[in-house]
Structures are given as structure tokens and as C-alpha cells.
Amino acid sequence: MFRNLKLMFDKIRCTKPFHLCRRYVMREPSQPLKRCPKWVCVEDAVKIINSEHLVFIQGGAATPMELVRAMTEHGVCNNLRGVRLLHMCLEGDAPFANPEFEIKARDDVTIQEHFRSVNLYVGANLREAVNEGRADYIPLFLHEAPRLFYEKKITPDIALIHVSMPDVRGFCSLGVTVGCTRAAICAAKVLIAQVNEHMPRSFGDTVIHSSHFDWAVRYDCPLPSVACTPPNDLEQEIGKIIAQRLIEDGATLQLGIGNIPDAVLCALVNHKDLGIHSDVLCDAMVDLVERGNITNRCKIKHRGRMIGSMAIGTKRLYDFLHNNPFVELLAMDYVNNPGAVSTQPKMTAINSCIEIDLTGQVCSDSLGCKIYSGFGGQLDFLQGAAQSQDGRGKAIIAFPSVTSKGESKIQPMLKLGAGVVVTRAHAHYIVTEHGVAQLFGKTLRQRANALIQIAHPDHRECLEKAAFERLKSTPTKYL
């Protein structure tokens, strides 16, 4: 009789979701459990999502798009209300944020949405929803994002994740995106996994045992391909200036996504023994690895390995990542932590911005009052590079001197409502196609002079007049 009771208990334990357990504790994803995932179709997997649930969604190129699609249809068909979706930047469509999915009363007054997106970083597919009040944004340094889960400030009811096929021992990989996903998995009550044979198996903080999945859905599809357009002549000039004047052999690099970071990487073909410690890994880095420019030989920590938190690019990058011990993807509370960044030799952080004022205040997350992206990892890495323990780090902000409409990106003052992501004190090296302005240790007048020298010539006279009006004296390069 006791044997039968034990078998019955084991059977219950193998199928019982975490949210039904009497006592829930934070999970350890790499530790196998004595339970099995329930393999179901995608429509059955999302049935557990109900009104008022908080759902975490893995982001980047690992966005589980099939689960997102099924969840949206389930929410609309079953008239769910107030489901909150927490995530970083998502790839693909975001149908849950469409205006038609708001629940209306008479006179088109919104009572409640089926879904409300809560962004830790705002991508292009949710920018309009955030600025129209149909979605929310949480400003924070990305190295602090995992704390939201570990300190139980946010506890997801459900996490939607995207993983590789299980190996012979049942272990899967989070593939191309760790970020804050591992922390969310540890805190979530229920896990629903989209299992995809196209997801690469990466090394680092990506390990999760399939026994942690409450529901698993097999859905094979290629990962989203995110390819930047080739850098134009102006962007190539900026890349050359940074590569030739600011990056040394043996430097450890962090670069954001976009044409200027790609232009910098393209200009590094004559550099030696470069290292990578970056939140995002991209295709252009693969070229430098194959050419022998990136060796990670000079790094103090993780010597011989590239370190990132997510990889976004094309199939070439994903194939490079698969089963490659040269690359480790680690959680953002480590990769983006300024203390960890500062330990790397000649740490060089290269990021861009929307605009900068004549005193060095940098706006990177908004166009005036309209949210454009988020804090991201920009200040994490700029601060870490500026505090480099070997005293040879460089914190760089690079951008074209004018916008596509010909407006100067160096402004007398930031636009009304513009968010300051990088303060005057954090701004060190500013680069345009016209040169480098070194701001650290400079007075306001010296800063204004240095920035005017790298502004577009068509705007320098106006900037000089504005600087005199603001500072009540002429900008100067002297103390």
C-alpha cells in the first residue's frame, strides 16, 4: 500500500505546476528535478495564462514568437483582462500591443486592455505603444534588472522562454539571450518553453534542465535575422577615427548595435589581441575572430573567451555561437556590472546617442518627451571603462555631427523633456566625423569649445553664439 501511495505521489509531483505547490522557493535552473515537462501543442500551453497574470517574455533574438502569437489569440478569444507582459526588447511583431485589442466601453472609453506591455528596454515594435500610453517603460540600468527578480520586487506568474533541444541528459540552453532571463526563470512560478532545433547551444549562464518546464512546445523555426545596412562614408570615417586614435592593441571592447559600432569593428583589421566584454555580440565580431584580431589573450578575467549577454545578428553569428567554448553568454548583473567591466585591460566602451548639449549632457533614450529606447547598458559600460583599474580605459560616445534632416546633434541645450542618460560627469570622449572632444576634467567653457570644434561647420557659428549666451563668456580651450 505504501509503495502505491509513493508512486501516486511521484506521479502528482511530475505533473504539478509550481504555482500549485504549497510552498514555492526560487528555483535553480541547472539542477534537475524529479519531474517531467508536459509536451503539448502551443494552444494548450498558453491556456494557463489568465487575467491579471504577470508574464515574463524572453527577448532579443530568442523571443518565443510562436508562444507570443498563441498567447495573444488566447487572450483575445477568452476576453482576458489586465495581463501584464514584462520583457526587454522583443524581436518580431508585438500583436498584443495593437490598439484594437483594448477593451472599449461606450464612447470609445478604454476600460482595460487585454494585455499591457511593460518594457525594460523599448524596441521599435513597441515605441508607438509606449508613447501613446498603451504600454509602460521601466527606466533602469540593465545591470540592475536581475535584482528585480532576485529581490522579489517582481515575481512572474509565468515565464515564456525559447530554448534549444534537450541533450541526452535533458539539459537545454537559453541560446542567444541570457540578459535577465535566468533571474526571471529563477523567480517565475510556471515555465512554458518553446523548444527549437534551430536555437544554438551556448556556454555560460544558459543552462536549464528540461525538468523545470511545466509545459514544453516543440516548434522549429529559424531565429530572426537582424542585419545592419553597410556603414556609409560618414560612419566609416567615425569608425576610422575611433580605431586609429582611441583603441589600442590588447584593448577589451564593448560596442552597441548599429552602423557606427560595425564601422569601428571594420576598421580594426590591423589591431592585435583584442578582447570582447560586451552586452551584445554581433556579426562583425565574427569577422575579427576569424582574422585573428580578437583573441581575448590579454584579458584578466575570462582570458581566451568572448563574453556577452546576448547575441543579435544573422545565421552566421548563431552558427558561430553554437557549441563554441570560445564564447560565453552570462547574466547582465555580471556582464554589465561597472565593477566587473572596470577589471578588463584597456576597457573601451563605444556607444551612440540622440543628442548632446554643450556642457556634455547626453540624451540617448528619448526624442524630447517621446521615449525612443531606454537606458540600456550604455552608462554601465561607460562608467566601468572610465573607472578602469589599469587607468587606460576609454568611455566613448560617437555619432554623426548632424541628423538625417541636417540638424546638429550637438545642441546648446537638450530638447524639452529629453532624458539625460549620461551626465556631464560621465561624458569623457565624444567623437564625430570631425574629430574627438575629450571632456574629462574640462570646465564648462572648455567643454563647449571642444564640442564646437567637432560639430558640423555649418552649425559652429550658431553654437558659439549660444555658448556665449549660456555661459556669459566666450568658449575657450584654456583654463
Side-chain angles (χ1 to χ4, degrees):
M1 182 180 72
F2 289 107
R3 184 173 178 274
N4 290 338
L5 285 173
K6 182 179 185 300
L7 289 173
M8 185 184 300
F9 177 76
D10 286 344
K11 184 177 180 181
I12 293 171
R13 181 168 55 185
C14 283
T15 58
K16 197 174 185 182
F18 277 97
H19 74 297
L20 297 178
C21 294
R22 183 177 298 175
R23 184 166 163 265
Y24 171 70
V25 294
M26 197 164 280
R27 77 176 80 231
E28 172 45 56
S30 59
Q31 180 65 45
L33 303 175
K34 294 180 179 179
R35 59 195 295 272
C36 303
K38 188 173 182 180
W39 291 86
V40 295
C41 67
V42 66
E43 287 76 18
D44 287 343
V46 298
K47 284 180 180 178
I48 192 173
I49 300 173
N50 213 333
S51 295
E52 306 300 329
H53 270 166
L54 174 61
V55 180
F56 174 83
I57 305 174
Q58 185 178 1
T63 302
M65 288 186 248
E66 181 65 6
L67 290 177
V68 170
R69 179 199 62 76
M71 174 197 67
T72 305
E73 293 179 1
H74 165 69
V76 175
C77 293
N78 292 278
N79 201 31
L80 301 188
R81 299 186 177 217
V83 180
R84 291 160 296 148
L85 308 175
L86 180 69
H87 51 82
M88 290 185 56
C89 187
L90 299 178
E91 288 297 324
D93 296 329
F96 50 80
N98 291 346
E100 60 265 29
F101 292 155
E102 293 178 320
I103 302 170
K104 304 281 187 180
R106 292 180 180 177
D107 301 323
D108 287 335
V109 176
T110 301
I111 300 298
Q112 194 174 22
E113 301 106 334
H114 292 299
F115 301 99
R116 190 162 187 87
S117 166
V118 182
N119 297 256
L120 300 178
Y121 187 88
V122 182
N125 54 359
L126 283 158
R127 200 169 286 148
E128 182 179 316
V130 169
N131 289 309
E132 290 182 357
R134 293 182 281 109
D136 292 316
Y137 162 57
I138 299 176
L140 84 170
F141 302 123
L142 286 188
H143 81 271
E144 294 185 326
R147 288 179 52 191
L148 297 173
F149 305 101
Y150 289 133
E151 296 178 6
K152 298 184 178 179
K153 290 177 169 48
I154 294 177
T155 302
D157 295 293
I158 298 161
L160 306 182
I161 61 174
H162 192 175
V163 300
S164 69
M165 294 289 292
D167 65 12
V168 293
R169 293 183 174 85
F171 286 97
C172 298
S173 170
L174 293 173
V176 296
T177 301
V178 179
C180 62
T181 300
R182 194 176 192 280
I185 286 172
C186 290
K189 300 171 186 176
V190 173
L191 291 187
I192 303 176
Q194 177 179 322
V195 182
N196 184 358
E197 68 175 9
H198 295 276
M199 179 64 77
R201 183 175 293 274
S202 56
F203 288 79
D205 291 335
T206 60
V207 176
I208 179 169
H209 196 268
S210 56
S211 59
H212 286 272
F213 306 154
D214 294 287
W215 282 271
V217 175
R218 176 71 185 271
Y219 187 80
D220 297 327
C221 60
L223 300 187
S225 181
V226 182
C228 293
T229 57
N232 60 32
D233 292 343
L234 186 149
E235 291 159 343
Q236 289 179 9
E237 181 62 27
I238 295 173
K240 289 177 184 177
I241 290 172
I242 294 173
Q244 294 171 5
R245 296 173 58 176
L246 296 176
I247 298 179
E248 305 176 53
D249 287 342
T252 305
L253 305 179
Q254 176 267 332
L255 302 102
I257 296 177
N259 285 5
I260 289 179
D262 279 0
V264 173
L265 290 167
C266 290
L268 292 173
V269 293
N270 295 317
H271 282 64
K272 299 176 182 178
D273 291 327
L274 298 171
I276 298 293
H277 183 106
S278 183
D279 45 355
V280 180
L281 305 183
C282 63
D283 280 69
M285 294 177 183
V286 180
D287 296 331
L288 292 181
V289 172
E290 293 179 348
R291 292 177 61 95
N293 305 100
I294 292 177
T295 64
N296 299 288
R297 189 178 299 157
C298 298
K299 292 170 71 174
I300 295 173
K301 292 185 177 180
H302 309 286
R303 182 177 285 115
R305 285 164 290 167
M306 289 173 62
I307 297 300
S309 194
M310 62 181 69
I312 301 177
T314 67
K315 186 176 183 297
R316 181 165 183 255
L317 174 64
Y318 307 144
D319 289 344
F320 171 77
L321 190 66
H322 181 60
N323 277 335
N324 188 351
F326 185 72
V327 187
E328 287 188 7
L329 295 186
L330 305 177
M332 274 183 166
D333 50 355
Y334 173 75
V335 176
N336 286 49
N337 189 296
V341 174
S342 70
T343 64
Q344 298 299 338
K346 304 176 186 176
M347 186 67 212
T348 305
I350 304 164
N351 291 272
S352 194
C353 73
I354 293 172
E355 61 177 346
I356 182 173
D357 76 3
L358 286 172
T359 69
Q361 293 186 114
V362 178
C363 171
S364 304
D365 68 342
S366 69
L367 295 166
C369 294
K370 291 187 175 181
I371 295 296
Y372 185 81
S373 54
F375 266 63
Q378 183 168 117
L379 193 56
D380 295 342
F381 283 97
L382 291 178
Q383 187 173 354
Q387 296 174 353
S388 181
Q389 292 180 11
D390 62 6
R392 300 176 71 177
K394 296 183 180 72
I396 302 168
I397 299 287
F399 52 88
S401 61
V402 294
T403 68
S404 58
K405 297 180 179 179
E407 181 183 355
S408 177
K409 284 199 167 192
I410 300 174
Q411 290 286 323
M413 290 180 289
L414 299 181
K415 291 182 176 64
L416 181 65
V420 176
V421 171
V422 179
T423 71
R424 299 179 180 109
H426 288 107
H428 282 208
Y429 292 91
I430 310 299
V431 181
T432 73
E433 71 275 19
H434 298 291
V436 180
Q438 203 283 90
L439 304 187
F440 180 63
K442 299 287 180 66
T443 66
L444 294 181
R445 286 199 301 152
Q446 289 174 312
R447 285 164 173 257
N449 177 73
L451 289 169
I452 290 169
Q453 299 310 308
I454 64 168
H456 193 281
D458 292 348
H459 296 280
R460 290 178 188 174
E461 184 177 350
C462 291
L463 289 172
E464 287 173 354
K465 292 178 180 178
F468 182 83
E469 183 177 336
R470 181 171 183 180
L471 302 173
K472 308 306 179 188
S473 60
T474 304
T476 178
K477 62 180 179 180
Y478 302 108
L479 284 172

